[in-house]
Amino acid sequence: MKRSRDSAASELFAVLYPRLAGWCRRLVDDDETAHEIASEAFTRLWARWTKVEEPRGFLYVTAANIVRDHWRKTERERRAVRQVTQEAAVRPHAEPADPSVRLLVQSLPERLRVPILLHYYADMPIREVSALTGRKEGTVKADLHAARELLRVHLRRSLDHTL
């Protein structure tokens, strides 16, 4: 019984997974996310294997629901990034003791400023900054490094002028 169940599931996976993942790819425009969604749909199908009469329909409806949730989450993240960016431009931060640091951070290009604000001011781990900005973790790390180097150069210049 279990062997035939496993065999049927494997056959179904081999036939439907590529199409389902391709369909998800067109909806989310990202290979990795599409494969995660398709895999999650199959995981949910497997959990209900004996209760599902139409596996193909179940997979596509499940994947569509996961895609919808992904779109909602992405939109919430975009709004959060916009809000943080707008607040950073409008409201001074109390964290830095030296107002010139705040001004320097605000003067950074948006590509570098947003990760700095999220990571150092909002205490978000790099993984979350990556998710919120839609950038890979390595890119976020590189942007944080570039921003710190720019800030370091500007701070040295300002210190040289005050001495």
Side-chain angles (χ1 to χ4, degrees):
M1 173 76 175
K2 183 173 178 1
R3 187 130 175 90
S4 64
R5 177 181 170 211
D6 290 350
S7 166
S10 294
E11 288 173 26
L12 187 71
F13 183 84
V15 170
L16 292 181
Y17 184 84
R19 284 189 182 155
L20 182 64
W23 180 72
C24 292
R25 169 68 173 88
R26 287 189 297 281
L27 294 173
V28 297
D29 199 31
D30 178 62
D31 285 334
E32 186 177 337
T33 303
H35 284 284
E36 287 174 8
I37 291 169
S39 296
E40 177 63 22
F42 269 95
T43 300
R44 292 181 188 184
L45 171 64
W46 183 248
R48 296 165 184 80
W49 184 251
T50 57
K51 299 173 189 162
V52 174
E53 290 182 33
E54 178 50 53
R56 184 176 184 272
F58 179 89
L59 286 169
Y60 277 86
V61 167
T62 301
N65 288 336
I66 298 169
V67 165
R68 186 193 63 231
D69 292 344
H70 170 76
W71 287 342
R72 287 177 179 161
K73 179 182 175 209
T74 301
E75 184 52 35
R76 282 192 308 271
E77 290 168 351
R78 283 188 190 129
R79 273 186 263 146
V81 168
R82 271 195 307 268
Q83 182 179 356
V84 167
T85 304
Q86 289 169 352
E87 287 175 2
V90 173
R91 187 179 63 210
H93 292 284
E95 289 89 346
D98 184 355
S100 63
V101 173
R102 176 179 44 84
L103 294 173
L104 287 174
V105 169
Q106 289 177 344
S107 72
L108 289 171
E110 183 177 351
R111 174 182 70 82
L112 302 177
R113 184 178 64 242
V114 171
I116 287 285
L117 291 173
L118 294 174
H119 185 64
Y120 291 106
Y121 288 79
D123 287 323
M124 291 186 184
I126 289 174
R127 185 179 348 97
E128 279 186 52
V129 175
S130 171
L132 282 170
T133 60
R135 298 180 196 152
K136 294 182 179 177
E137 287 185 31
T139 303
V140 170
K141 289 176 184 177
D143 288 346
L144 288 169
H145 175 75
R148 286 190 306 267
E149 287 303 310
L150 270 175
L151 292 171
R152 187 171 300 139
V153 167
H154 288 298
L155 285 171
R156 277 195 190 123
R157 267 193 222 136
S158 63
L159 284 174
D160 289 346
H161 291 295
T162 57
L163 293 177

